[in-house]
Amino acid sequence: MINKEQLNSNIPEHVAIIMDGNGRWAKKKGLFRAVGHEKGTKAVREAVEGAAEVGIKYLTLYAFSTENWNRPKLEIETLMKLLVNSLKKEIKTLQKNNIRLNAIGNLQALPKKARNELLEVIDKTKDNKHMTLSLALSYGSREELIKTIQEISNKVKNNVLSPHLINEAVINEHLYTKSLPDVDLLIRTSGEQRISNFLLWQIAYAELYFTEILWPDFKKTDLFEAILNYQQRERRFGKTSEQLS
Ligand code: IPE
Ligand code: IPE
Ligand code: MG
């Protein structure tokens, strides 16, 4: 088991997690998928507290994708109820740890109750400074990019922006993640090695880390292990190894 004392000072500034495997966790135990999702919220707390302890500034969690709307209606309802309950319950943890809540995704698509609860917690925690926790809800990277292109096209059409001025910064400003830096470390649980439409633009130079652990079993120490692994890598950003030293 890794503990946080084994980490050096090179803590990734922005960690994003694809929290996968709730259904398989439940199936393995002969339980309903809903139980897996519920246990998954406990793992969220582990990840959030662990991240705050080691000084990660931005933690972004993939909680519900645009594609997840295609799941059975009952499962979607369960997930939305869990979201509301967790927000109600975890506001205390956020305040105690000085964490600001943020959300990325098409929030208009969420049920009213979930959206209102979310906006309330975002507002209540807006002055917290230790860490920014972003929940990706009804989030899809392609939808985000389409929205971005539409907004930029409108600016061009209305002569507010000239096409030759479109650069990375302009694109960043129109993404849901506009207030967040690029992702440094992307973690996916459950053994799947795919991105599933998450932060395609923002992970351009992220280090990828895949673990077999199913999300409900994810503990702080698993986060620390991912960070330790990250710290053993050389991020070259296109340069040669010699240029870095
Ligand atoms: C992740 O667990 C939670 C969501 C995608 C909402 P899954 O529900 O995808 O679990 P598996 O992949 O079926 O095991
Ligand atoms: C990705 O998990 C979305 C979230 C974790 C919220 P999925 O379980 O929906 O991904 P795929 O469909 O198996 O790739
Ligand atoms: Mg899954």
Side-chain angles (χ1 to χ4, degrees):
M1 257 207 336
I2 311 278
N3 58 49
K4 61 182 177 216
E5 282 69 38
Q6 285 168 265
L7 303 176
N8 64 32
S9 61
N10 177 26
I11 297 294
E13 185 184 18
H14 186 179
V15 175
I17 308 182
I18 302 173
M19 311 183 288
D20 198 13
N22 293 353
R24 278 162 286 165
W25 181 91
K27 195 171 181 185
K28 255 176 48 183
K29 296 190 143 50
L31 302 166
F32 290 114
R33 293 179 62 86
V35 184
H37 292 314
E38 176 155 18
K39 188 82 198 311
T41 64
K42 305 234 159 56
V44 170
R45 182 191 280 187
E46 286 277 324
V48 170
E49 288 185 341
E53 276 176 33
V54 296
I56 287 167
K57 293 309 286 178
Y58 300 89
L59 177 68
T60 301
L61 302 177
Y62 205 5
F64 194 89
S65 72
T66 46
E67 289 73 23
N68 288 148
W69 290 116
N70 298 318
R71 292 199 177 189
K73 194 164 166 274
L74 202 65
E75 179 162 346
I76 296 174
E77 282 172 11
T78 302
L79 287 165
M80 293 301 152
K81 268 188 212 146
L82 271 176
L83 172 65
V84 173
N85 290 344
S86 306
L87 286 166
K88 281 191 200 299
K89 216 163 88 189
E90 298 302 336
I91 171 104
K92 269 192 266 156
T93 318
L94 298 178
Q95 299 292 32
K96 191 181 84 194
N97 292 289
N98 195 14
I99 297 167
R100 178 173 79 95
L101 186 71
N102 176 43
I104 59 171
N106 178 15
L107 305 186
Q108 291 306 321
L110 296 175
K112 221 175 169 166
K113 206 166 162 194
R115 189 170 62 244
N116 288 344
E117 194 64 41
L118 188 67
L119 295 177
E120 197 182 316
V121 179
I122 289 174
D123 186 61
K124 281 184 176 153
T125 59
K126 67 177 189 298
D127 297 322
N128 291 351
K129 295 276 184 304
H130 183 62
M131 183 175 91
T132 297
L133 168 64
S134 301
L135 293 182
L137 288 162
S138 190
Y139 176 87
S141 205
R142 289 187 168 179
E143 190 264 346
E144 178 183 43
L145 290 170
I146 291 166
K147 173 192 93 81
T148 297
I149 293 164
Q150 286 173 341
E151 288 174 9
I152 293 176
S153 311
N154 272 320
K155 287 189 180 170
V156 169
K157 187 177 133 206
N158 298 326
N159 293 316
V160 187
L161 182 67
S162 155
H164 76 273
L165 292 177
I166 298 172
N167 57 18
E168 286 190 18
V170 170
I171 291 174
N172 280 330
E173 269 166 40
H174 290 84
L175 298 171
Y176 291 125
T177 53
K178 62 171 174 285
S179 59
L180 311 176
D182 278 353
V183 175
D184 298 301
L185 171 62
L186 174 71
I187 299 170
R188 184 173 188 145
T189 58
S190 88
E192 307 295 358
Q193 302 194 0
R194 55 177 176 260
I195 304 300
S196 303
N197 202 13
F198 192 40
L199 304 173
L200 299 179
W201 167 275
Q202 298 88 337
I203 60 166
Y205 253 109
E207 295 298 326
L208 308 181
Y209 180 86
F210 299 102
T211 167
E212 293 291 326
I213 295 168
L214 300 172
W215 181 250
D217 289 328
F218 195 84
K219 296 278 178 308
K220 279 179 195 178
T221 168
D222 300 310
L223 175 68
F224 301 157
E225 188 160 340
I227 298 171
L228 188 70
N229 185 288
Y230 167 90
Q231 292 185 336
Q232 286 152 2
R233 301 184 190 189
E234 181 176 61
R235 300 185 77 192
R236 290 192 287 280
F237 296 99
K239 295 181 179 172
T240 67
S241 196
E242 289 70 28
Q243 280 178 295
L244 299 174
S245 50

